[in-house]
C-alpha cells in the first residue's frame, strides 16, 4: 500500500484533545494530612524529571525521539512507544492529543514494508536504539532513567517492522502493546489463493495473547483492496479475529464515539466526509475497528485520527496498570 504524501498528512492534522485520565479514589482526611509533605517533595525538586529538557526532539538513526507534554516520571521509569512510518509532526501530534504518558520514538525508512522488516529482524538493531534512548534521556536530565514498558505502533508499511520484532520470541515477550493503523497484510498461497498464515503468525500469536488480556492489540483498518497479489488490511485482520475467537459486529454505519468528523476547510467550505465506522470487534484486550473508505485519503485518516481511535486503548491500559 502506497503511503500518503507529507503534504496530505500535514494538511489533515488538527483535532480536539482526547482526555484519558484515570480518576483516583479519594483517601480519608487523615491520610491526606499525613501524605501532604511527601506529595510536596515529589512534585518539586525531588522528582526525577524536575530538570528534564523537553524543548527539542532527540535525533537517532532513522528517526527521532519526542517527549509529549503529558510525559512525566517521578522516579525515572518511563514507558516507550516505538512508532513506524508517518510524517514526524503528524505522529507526534497524535500522541500529544491523546495525552499519552510515554516517550515516543518515531522511525521512518521509506515506502517499503520490506525495508522495515529487514532492518528490525536484526536482533541487535533495536537494543542499540533502546540504549541510545536511555542515554539521551539521561543526558536531557531524566535522573535514574530506566525503561519500563514497550509498545509498538505502525501505520501502513511500518507493519513490517512490527512483524520483524514480534518474530523474535525473546523481544516479543517484552512487548506490552501493539497498535496497527491500516497496516497489516499477508500474501496468498499459490495453489488455492488462501491467506499465507505463516506470514501472519507473529500477529496471530499476539492477538491470542491480547484476547486473553495478557497483551493489548488495537487495529484499525480501511476497505482498501491493494494493488498487487496480497491481502488487504480487512481480510488480514479477519484471519486474526477468527483464530482469536473474536466476533466482528456491524456498527450500522451510524455515528458513535469513534466516528471522527472530517476537518473543516476554509471559511464557507464543506467539511470532508466523516471517518465512518463500519464494524468493530472486542475480546479481552484485542480491539478491532473497521472504517469506510477505499481511497488514499481514507488510508491517511488512520494515521491522522490515531488519537481518537487506537491510541486511547493504550492510554487506558497504561493508566490502569
Amino acid at each position: 500500500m502506497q503511503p500518503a504524501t507529507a503534504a496530505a498528512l500535514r494538511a489533515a492534522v488538527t483535532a480536539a484533545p482526547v482526555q484519558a485520565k484515570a480518576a483516583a479514589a479519594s483517601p480519608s482526611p487523615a491520610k491526606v494530612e499525613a501524605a501532604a509533605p511527601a506529595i510536596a517533595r515529589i512534585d518539586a525538586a525531588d522528582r526525577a524529571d524536575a530538570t528534564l529538557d523537553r524543548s527539542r526532539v532527540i535525533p537517532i538513526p532513522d528517526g527521532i525521539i519526542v517527549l509529549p507534554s503529558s510525559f512525566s516520571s517521578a522516579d525515572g521509569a518511563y514507558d516507550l512507544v516505538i512508532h513506524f512510518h508517518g510524517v514526524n509532526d503528524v505522529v507526534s501530534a497524535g500522541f500529544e492529543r491523546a495525552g499519552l504518558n510515554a516517550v515516543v520514538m518515531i522511525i521512518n525508512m521509506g515506502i517499503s514494508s520490506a525495508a522495515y522488516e529487514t532492518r528490525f529482524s536484526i536482533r541487535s538493531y533495536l537494543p542499540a536504539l533502546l540504549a541510545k534512548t536511555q542515554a539521551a534521556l539521561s543526558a536531557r536530565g531524566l535522573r535514574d532513567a530506566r525503561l519500563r514498558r514497550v509498545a509498538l505502533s505502525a501505520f501502513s508499511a511500518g507493519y513490517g517492522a512490527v512483524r520483524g520484532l514480534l518474530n523474535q520470541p525473546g523481544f516479543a515477550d517484552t512487548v506490552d502493546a501493539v497498535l496497527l493503523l491500516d497496516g497489516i497484510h499477508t500474501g496468498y498461497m499459490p495453489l488455492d489463493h488462501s491467506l499465507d498464515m505463516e506470514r501472519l503468525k507473529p500477529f496471530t500469536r499476539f492477538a491470542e495473547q491480547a484476547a486473553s488480556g495478557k497483551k493489548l492489540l488495537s487495529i484499525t483498518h480501511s476497505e482498501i483492496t491493494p494493488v498487487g497479489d496480497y491481502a488487504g488490511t480487512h481480510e488480514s485482520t479477519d484471519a486474526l479475529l477468527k483464530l482469536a475467537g473474536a466476533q466482528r459486529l456491524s456498527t450500522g454505519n451510524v455515528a458513535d464515539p469513534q466516528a471522527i468528523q472530517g476537518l473543516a476547510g476554509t471559511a464557507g467550505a464543506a467539511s470532508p466526509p466523516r471517518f465512518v465506522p463500519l464494524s468493530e470487534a472486542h475480546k479481552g484486550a484485542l480491539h478491532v475497528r473497521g472504517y469506510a473508505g477505499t481511497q488514499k485519503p481514507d488510508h491517511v485518516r488512520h494515521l491522522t485520527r490515531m488519537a481518537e481511535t487506537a491510541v486511547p486503548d493504550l492510554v487506558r491500559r497504561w493508566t490502569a496498570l
Side-chain angles (χ1 to χ4, degrees):
M1 186 175 296
Q2 293 298 317
T5 64
L9 288 170
R10 289 193 178 93
V13 183
T14 59
V18 173
Q19 298 298 324
K21 297 182 180 178
S26 299
S28 65
K31 290 182 179 178
V32 171
E33 183 176 351
I39 292 174
R41 285 196 300 273
I42 292 175
D43 284 345
D46 284 349
R47 291 185 58 89
D49 59 4
T51 61
L52 179 61
D53 178 8
R54 306 165 180 268
S55 61
R56 294 163 291 128
V57 302
I58 302 171
I60 57 171
D62 298 315
I64 62 171
I65 296 170
V66 296
L67 303 176
S69 60
S70 49
F71 171 68
S72 67
S73 176
D75 61 359
Y78 62 93
D79 296 328
L80 175 68
V81 178
I82 309 171
H83 178 89
F84 303 98
H85 201 62
V87 176
N88 289 340
D89 56 1
V90 176
V91 176
S92 59
F95 286 110
E96 179 75 27
R97 293 201 316 275
L100 181 68
N101 181 6
V103 175
V104 177
M105 179 189 296
I106 305 170
I107 301 290
N108 277 291
M109 303 187 67
I111 65 173
S112 168
S113 62
Y116 286 98
E117 184 171 349
T118 299
R119 181 68 58 86
F120 285 93
S121 294
I122 301 172
R123 295 179 184 272
S124 60
Y125 188 72
L126 184 61
L129 284 183
L130 296 180
K132 290 178 183 294
T133 301
Q134 187 150 308
L137 291 173
S138 296
R140 286 291 180 92
L142 182 62
R143 190 174 67 249
D144 194 23
R146 60 195 186 279
L147 180 62
R148 183 168 47 195
R149 294 173 292 198
V150 175
L152 305 178
S153 171
F155 167 64
S156 192
Y159 85 94
V162 178
R163 185 184 183 280
L165 290 169
L166 293 183
N167 230 1
Q168 302 175 26
F171 179 76
D173 291 343
T174 69
V175 177
D176 182 62
V178 169
L179 312 180
L180 297 173
L181 311 171
D182 209 25
I184 178 172
H185 299 280
T186 191
Y188 293 111
M189 300 302 290
L191 294 180
D192 60 2
H193 210 249
S194 62
L195 294 184
D196 183 350
M197 297 305 295
E198 187 65 29
R199 291 282 301 168
L200 280 179
K201 224 176 220 183
F203 298 109
T204 58
R205 285 195 299 261
F206 206 88
E208 290 168 344
Q209 290 178 303
S212 68
K214 296 176 183 177
K215 307 281 189 178
L216 166 68
L217 175 57
S218 184
I219 298 174
T220 70
H221 68 77
S222 66
E223 295 297 305
I224 295 172
T225 300
V227 177
D229 193 25
Y230 63 98
T233 53
H234 188 154
E235 187 177 7
S236 300
T237 300
D238 277 345
L240 301 191
L241 291 176
K242 182 177 181 180
L243 289 176
Q247 184 178 4
R248 186 191 289 272
L249 300 174
S250 171
T251 62
N253 209 9
V254 297
D256 71 2
Q258 295 293 346
I260 312 303
Q261 183 64 44
L263 296 173
T266 57
S271 293
R274 192 198 313 268
F275 191 34
V276 181
L278 297 181
S279 65
E280 60 183 49
H282 305 280
K283 183 177 181 181
L286 169 62
H287 306 289
V288 169
R289 299 178 180 93
Y291 292 88
T294 60
Q295 304 302 315
K296 182 176 287 188
D298 304 309
H299 177 53
V300 171
R301 288 190 187 99
H302 288 264
L303 182 67
T304 61
R305 294 296 180 255
M306 62 192 291
E308 292 78 42
T309 58
V311 180
D313 291 331
L314 180 60
V315 173
R316 284 187 288 269
R317 179 176 176 85
W318 280 1
T319 301
L321 291 181

